[in-house]
Each structure stands twice: as C-alpha cells, then as structure tokens.
Amino acid sequence: MVKGFIFLTSTGFSSEPVIKRFKGSFLNYINYSVAIVTTAAEEKENNKYAQLAKEQFVEMGFSHIDFIDLETEPDRDFTQYAIIYVCGVILSNFLNLLENQTLRHQSKAC
C-alpha cells in the first residue's frame, strides 16, 4: 500500500504557485500511479479538465495515469495510487463522494 497525502486546490494545476507546491511535495512519487477520479465530472474522462490534468501529470513526468469513475467501478482499489486527483467537484460533493465510498466499504466488512 502506498502512503499518500491530500492536496486540495480549487484551480487544479492552472496556477504556477500550485504547480510549484505540488512538485515540491510529490515529485518523489513520480514512479507511482495517478488516479484521476472523474465521477463528478461532466463527460467523465472526456471532460476537458480531466484531459488537461492528465496532460499536466504527463508534463511533470508521471507515466501511469488512470481515469476512474466510481459510478461504474464502485469497488475500485486505490491502494496502488500515490496520487488521487478528483476532477469536477466542489468540496461538499467530494466529501459526499468519500462518505458514500466509506459507507459502501463498511457495509461489506460487516
């Protein structure tokens, strides 16, 4: 299992200070996988911002990048990903998404 961090930004990688901060924190993970969660994004992995995020990860040197939609893959195992990028959400939607995933996994464990 990869130990990860939470990096929250409302601008994605469209701001130079955000890019610098991200690179300073996460470039040690460049050989690890990236998950771009598109569940809340319009057009899912075809969303222009999801595609832009993928391009930006590639430009930073990441090579293994997967798009994940929790509506179609509700049991997806994220332990192989060092970076999970959530696309197309505001914080309240993201927290609901996390809560639903947590509750789903807790009910399976019972």
Side-chain angles (χ1 to χ4, degrees):
M1 180 194 292
V2 177
K3 182 178 179 180
F5 302 90
I6 295 177
F7 185 87
L8 299 174
T9 172
S10 62
T11 62
F13 296 118
S14 62
S15 161
E16 191 60 36
V18 171
I19 293 171
K20 285 182 182 178
R21 184 76 182 257
F22 181 85
K23 286 181 177 180
S25 300
F26 293 96
L27 280 188
N28 291 337
Y29 293 89
I30 207 159
N31 294 319
Y32 291 95
S33 299
V34 174
I36 299 177
V37 179
T38 60
T39 304
E42 293 180 12
E43 302 177 31
K44 307 296 180 182
E45 73 180 68
N46 294 319
N47 178 284
K48 66 180 181 180
Y49 298 109
Q51 289 297 318
L52 177 61
K54 181 179 180 181
E55 290 171 21
Q56 291 168 324
F57 278 116
V58 169
E59 288 172 7
M60 286 187 270
F62 293 91
S63 58
H64 188 141
I65 303 163
D66 294 330
F67 289 105
I68 298 171
D69 180 357
L70 294 173
E71 290 175 339
T72 59
E73 300 178 77
D75 296 323
R76 183 65 179 248
D77 180 10
F78 284 88
T79 58
Q80 66 180 344
Y81 297 100
I83 298 170
I84 300 171
Y85 182 97
V86 180
C87 187
V89 299
I90 57 174
L91 184 58
S92 61
N93 291 346
F94 175 65
L95 294 175
N96 287 336
L97 182 65
L98 281 178
E99 183 178 27
N100 288 337
Q101 285 302 108
T102 301
L103 291 174
R104 182 179 289 119
H105 287 288
Q106 286 175 350
S107 67
K108 287 183 179 183
C110 294

